[in-house]
Amino acid sequence: MNAAGTRRAVLRGAAGACTVALAACTRRGDRALRFWAMGREGEVVGELLADFAREQPGIAVRVEQLPWTAAHEKLLTAFAGNATPDVAQLGNTWIAELAALGALEPLQPWLEAERTIDAADYFDGIWRTNQVDAAQSTTSRSSGDTPPSGGGPARSGSSGGILYGLPWYVDTRLLFYRRDLFERAGVRTMPDTWAGLVSALDALQRAGTPHPLLLPVNEFEPLLAFALQGDEPLLRDGGRFGNFRGASFRRALGFYMARFASGHAPSISAGEIANLWQEFGRGTFAAYISGPWNIGELDRRLPASLRDSWATAPLPGPNGPGASTAGGSSLVVFKQSRRRADAVRLLAYLSRPDVQLRFHALTGDLPPRRSAWSRAPLAGDLRARAFATQLERAKPSPAVPEWERIAQEMQLVASRAVHDRWSIEQATDVLDARVDGFLAKRRWMLERAARSPA
Amino acid sequence: MKRAPWAAWVLVGPAVTVIALFFALPVLAGLALSFTDFDLYALADLRNLRFAGLDNYVHVLGLPLFWKALGNTLYFVVVGVPLSIALSLATAVLLQSPLARFKPLFRTAMFAPVVTTLVAVAVIWRYLLHVRYGLVNEALGALGLGPFDWLGDPAWAMPSIILFAVWKGFGANMIIFVAALQAIPDDLYEAARLDGATRWQQFAYVTLPMLRPTLLLVSVLTMAGYFQLFAEPYVMTQGGPLQSTVSVLYLMYEEGFRWWNLGTASAVAFLLFVLMIAVTQGLMRLGRRGEEAAAG
């Protein structure tokens, strides 16, 4: 979509939101709560807000849509120009970055007053992606109202940092596989260990699928999932240095590289598969690692004859069921908002299990609360159930602003190691050196903060 | 006559102001930025900004990726510029040939890629170059060649980009050459023919020397454009595979707007600026020496 088209879409979205929350654009003028939402979520969230408007006639909400591709830049520019909204949807890997900017309002004190939010009901790994170490905040610009209780103690299950976001929907990666092809190769139950997966892939190769597992070399999520399965953290000393030379990552990288060496995975990038779903339907590959949106895509795109021949399974780990990534979007409140109490009320409304199930029906996004998963339709959906199982084991990536770059570099080094047949030591040495470079400024800032606690 | 300087300033004033505001000032700000470590943290709070002196330049010059990007860019320039000029000159000469039919049609057809949207045609080229379903590989397959993984193989990705960029851009230079060819007086060719010159000799001893100023102009313009390679890899390969299509400008974009290291990004920009000045100066000197030689 070109820039003008995007702008039109945003205007349309804003206009649509105005008709939903009538009060917003007519009587209250610009005093409506500004809510930035991205992509598909931004298109449909207006439908959920009609009920909110009935419940809270005093709080008008204006949804402003952002395309995902421009969202990150828009948020940073808005911060630089003191034009941040009241509430926003935020990819949970961006939270550390915006928290470091001092743009986000800590939510814990506000949530003490909202009895409907129970941290223990959220998948633990997802909840923790919304927490950032206290040492990272660099500024404190604040205005308007204050939290009702002057910051109570943190709840159980939510230790380890300041809470800056409330999970809205979740994303994790697991195996999509062709059950018929696995069965033809004699694999009846999906393995839950790496060794089991390797022998299943061997069997598939013998049964006539030369490259049974698709691991696109330009996507970091599969390798990250394997890396998170180990016990050691990926960064050490509070996010000051890379820990890719640690045993956990070396093991994960070894497993990853061996998949290419053994031919289990073809060494290609995602762009070279012209149509992923079509090739999956053809049986060019029998399994790939991906996220929840593919449930809907495969339902739509595969022919009816293949409807029942694919399934989802949690990721196998080094010694039993493995962890995976903890992605998705959260809802955040900006520090500069003058209406933070109203903003938190909106967050609480959107976090109700029944509202989350309506949201799931509209978008296919998976809810972050276990109580939503125990109800229909999710409780009965077998393909979604695998995600619920996987989400119980989801692990957050290190919460440092530099993480996105580190993850990209990790994948870059891994794909070079696959292509040039580097040794694991060579790859991890290079990676640690580069990551330590990315974190240099962070180290300096942390040291300075430690020297002068003011 | 006394009022002339004053009147002159009034007349050039608006233009000078605009240039100062929108050109000189940003360039100076960029230069200042390149001596700091301006990044996301500094955006949050200016107290997090450090004066870095030449650190950014030292850092960039020590970065293997910078040298790789520079190598990729030089590869693109050294192969792409002569190829583009040769192709546009050849098509211009063919279009000027008295034997050519349907001249307006061909001229329009070959100029068409210049006015198309780069992103749109890049998407089409991605289809053409697709390893399994692309027309290019299908055609080569019919000849018993390939298949080549054009955009997925580090060895082929840059040649593919060059091919695309040359196809996209040669029409513009072709039009300049057509105009220059039309300006060559016919009696020169007539005299050459009377002296018994072959077609090739006419081209080498009449056309080329008469085109010298145009060739110099076209070389400088094309080279300046090709050094700023960005959109093609951004749309077609995102710098991959294995960073084989990362250009200097692409590196600058990634550092600056993806990772918000604006200090480093500015240093990259000024290094590219210095390099382009040097190369263009070299080319101009070469052109002047050629002129003197021709005159003397």
Side-chain angles (χ1 to χ4, degrees):
Chain A
M1 190 186 281
N2 61 24
T6 312
R7 213 154 34 235
R8 267 199 300 280
V10 171
L11 287 175
R12 245 199 327 272
C18 286
T19 51
V20 172
L22 277 169
C25 304
T26 50
R27 275 173 291 143
R28 304 282 301 267
D30 62 344
R31 295 187 58 198
L33 212 55
R34 288 170 66 216
F35 178 14
W36 281 11
M38 294 107 178
R40 177 76 186 142
E41 289 76 29
E43 287 171 28
V44 300
V45 70
E47 292 184 38
L48 299 176
L49 292 178
D51 280 348
F52 182 70
R54 265 192 288 283
E55 264 177 45
Q56 302 273 3
I59 309 175
V61 181
R62 191 170 71 225
V63 178
E64 296 173 3
Q65 280 180 267
L66 270 63
W68 269 113
T69 45
H72 189 251
E73 276 173 46
K74 284 254 180 208
L75 284 162
L76 292 179
T77 324
F79 172 79
N82 282 338
T84 47
D86 299 292
V87 180
Q89 168 192 359
L90 212 62
N92 62 13
T93 48
W94 298 350
I95 289 178
E97 190 177 345
L98 280 150
L101 286 174
L104 303 181
E105 174 75 6
L107 291 180
Q108 195 67 45
W110 296 95
L111 294 181
E112 303 289 332
E114 287 287 342
R115 300 188 169 276
T116 55
I117 308 290
D118 178 13
D121 190 29
Y122 285 81
F123 294 109
D124 186 49
I126 299 293
W127 185 264
R128 281 188 286 138
T129 61
N130 293 274
Q131 297 176 319
V132 180
D133 280 347
Q136 294 196 1
S137 185
T138 54
T139 52
S140 55
R141 294 199 285 183
S142 182
S143 60
D145 43 12
T146 49
S149 70
R155 283 165 202 238
S156 63
S158 64
S159 58
I162 301 170
L163 184 74
Y164 284 107
L166 205 54
W168 195 19
Y169 66 86
V170 293
D171 172 17
T172 190
R173 302 299 160 102
L174 46 58
L175 277 174
F176 285 76
Y177 69 101
R178 285 280 301 271
R179 200 165 41 199
D180 52 341
L181 295 181
F182 272 72
E183 280 174 6
R184 203 179 67 194
V187 185
R188 308 239 159 248
T189 50
M190 280 306 274
D192 59 5
T193 61
W194 287 358
L197 181 63
V198 168
S199 43
L201 293 171
D202 283 338
L204 276 156
Q205 275 185 325
R206 282 193 299 273
T209 311
H211 305 298
L213 177 67
L214 182 70
L215 291 173
V217 290
N218 59 349
E219 277 180 12
F220 66 77
E221 284 85 357
L223 175 58
L224 179 59
F226 292 134
L228 289 169
Q229 292 178 341
D231 300 324
E232 291 176 45
L234 295 174
L235 302 180
R236 60 186 171 84
D237 296 349
R240 284 175 172 81
F241 296 94
N243 191 29
F244 293 94
R245 273 171 294 190
S248 291
F249 184 76
R250 285 221 311 268
R251 200 170 166 193
L253 184 64
F255 175 71
Y256 182 81
M257 285 167 65
R259 300 288 63 73
F260 294 95
S262 61
H264 288 158
S267 57
I268 56 170
S269 62
E272 289 157 65
I273 293 282
N275 185 327
L276 186 101
W277 305 283
Q278 210 172 27
E279 299 293 331
F280 187 56
R282 281 186 192 157
T284 309
F285 53 90
Y288 70 111
I289 296 173
S290 192
W293 67 92
N294 268 313
I295 294 182
E297 295 289 351
L298 286 170
D299 261 339
R300 255 194 307 281
R301 292 166 189 261
L302 286 192
S305 56
L306 287 175
R307 272 293 138 74
D308 296 317
S309 36
W310 64 273
T312 53
L315 279 186
N319 329 291
S324 187
T325 56
S329 280
S330 296
L331 295 167
V332 298
V333 175
F334 281 86
K335 206 172 242 174
Q336 285 220 306
S337 166
R338 297 184 171 280
R339 307 187 51 198
R340 284 169 290 175
D342 291 348
V344 171
R345 235 163 262 150
L346 176 63
L347 259 56
Y349 167 78
L350 289 171
S351 301
R352 286 187 204 161
D354 56 313
V355 177
Q356 296 211 320
L357 281 173
R358 278 178 62 202
F359 187 54
H360 166 70
L362 289 169
T363 57
D365 288 340
L366 300 177
R369 297 183 74 156
R370 294 187 183 95
S371 47
W373 281 86
S374 61
R375 303 190 200 177
L378 280 171
D381 186 336
L382 275 180
R383 283 163 181 157
R385 286 310 303 175
F387 276 95
T389 313
Q390 187 70 73
L391 282 165
E392 293 290 352
R393 293 195 289 269
K395 261 186 170 174
S397 338
V400 297
E402 294 84 356
W403 178 252
E404 191 87 14
R405 182 166 203 188
I406 293 173
Q408 296 284 352
E409 202 65 30
M410 173 191 80
Q411 187 55 38
L412 205 66
V413 170
S415 56
R416 166 142 324 262
V418 167
H419 185 266
D420 293 352
R421 301 187 186 283
W422 286 2
S423 72
I424 293 169
E425 279 68 31
Q426 208 177 342
T428 51
D429 282 356
V430 166
L431 188 52
D432 262 348
R434 291 191 192 166
V435 168
D436 289 353
F438 299 156
L439 294 170
K441 178 87 175 236
R442 177 181 161 80
R443 285 197 296 275
W444 173 75
M445 302 224 349
L446 290 175
E447 271 159 36
R448 192 183 57 164
R451 272 200 307 274
S452 58
Chain B
M1 284 308 284
K2 236 182 184 178
R3 270 170 47 207
W6 183 79
W9 277 114
V10 168
L11 288 174
V12 298
V16 169
T17 314
V18 167
I19 290 173
L21 213 60
F22 296 106
F23 180 75
L25 197 66
V27 168
L28 288 176
L31 186 64
L33 217 53
S34 74
F35 298 121
T36 70
D37 70 343
F38 196 96
D39 60 359
L40 205 73
Y41 294 115
L43 185 67
D45 188 337
L46 273 180
R47 277 173 301 174
N48 295 331
L49 185 73
R50 286 180 291 180
F51 177 72
L54 292 173
D55 283 1
N56 284 327
Y57 291 91
V58 174
H59 169 70
V60 167
L61 289 174
L63 212 60
L65 184 59
F66 173 75
W67 294 104
K68 187 167 175 65
L70 192 62
N72 292 339
T73 309
L74 287 177
Y75 180 11
F76 181 75
V77 169
V78 167
V79 179
V81 171
L83 199 65
S84 170
I85 292 177
L87 188 65
S88 36
L89 182 58
T91 46
V93 170
L94 286 179
L95 277 177
Q96 275 309 106
S97 157
L99 298 174
R101 293 280 169 275
F102 310 116
K103 275 184 199 174
L105 174 73
F106 281 114
R107 203 163 48 212
T108 312
M110 283 187 284
F111 189 68
V114 178
V115 291
T116 52
T117 314
L118 188 134
V119 174
V121 288
V123 170
I124 293 171
W125 270 73
R126 281 186 61 138
Y127 290 144
L128 291 176
L129 294 172
H130 191 274
V131 58
R132 200 175 305 180
Y133 307 112
L135 277 177
V136 174
N137 272 355
E138 213 157 288
L140 290 174
L143 298 173
L145 296 171
F148 296 97
D149 189 356
W150 292 106
L151 295 172
D153 185 332
W156 285 112
M158 189 50 96
S160 307
I161 297 257
I162 292 174
L163 213 63
F164 169 63
V166 167
W167 171 84
K168 175 88 176 70
F170 82 92
N173 289 340
M174 180 190 77
I175 293 295
I176 299 178
F177 280 129
V178 166
L181 285 173
Q182 281 168 355
I184 300 176
D186 267 339
D187 37 358
L188 288 180
Y189 290 105
E190 212 179 313
R193 270 201 302 278
L194 287 175
D195 287 343
T198 61
R199 282 203 170 277
W200 175 249
Q201 283 169 328
Q202 286 175 39
F203 177 76
Y205 296 112
V206 178
T207 313
L208 271 189
M210 291 303 287
L211 284 182
R212 183 185 295 281
T214 316
L215 266 172
L216 183 65
L217 170 83
V218 164
S219 307
V220 171
L221 286 181
T222 310
M223 199 154 65
Y226 271 43
F227 262 115
Q228 299 177 51
L229 171 68
F230 171 71
E232 289 86 352
Y234 180 69
V235 178
M236 289 178 82
T237 58
Q238 288 82 49
L242 292 176
Q243 301 176 322
S244 58
T245 55
V246 171
S247 65
V248 176
L249 216 59
Y250 191 87
L251 175 72
M252 183 200 84
Y253 166 81
E254 287 240 303
E255 280 289 336
F257 298 108
R258 192 142 174 231
W259 312 125
W260 283 81
N261 293 323
L262 289 173
T264 319
S266 307
V268 173
F270 277 93
L271 284 173
L272 182 66
F273 169 73
V274 169
L275 180 75
M276 280 170 64
I277 289 283
V279 172
T280 313
Q281 282 299 319
L283 205 66
M284 298 290 269
R285 195 160 296 170
L286 213 69
R288 265 201 302 275
R289 195 176 302 164
E291 239 163 61
E292 283 159 15

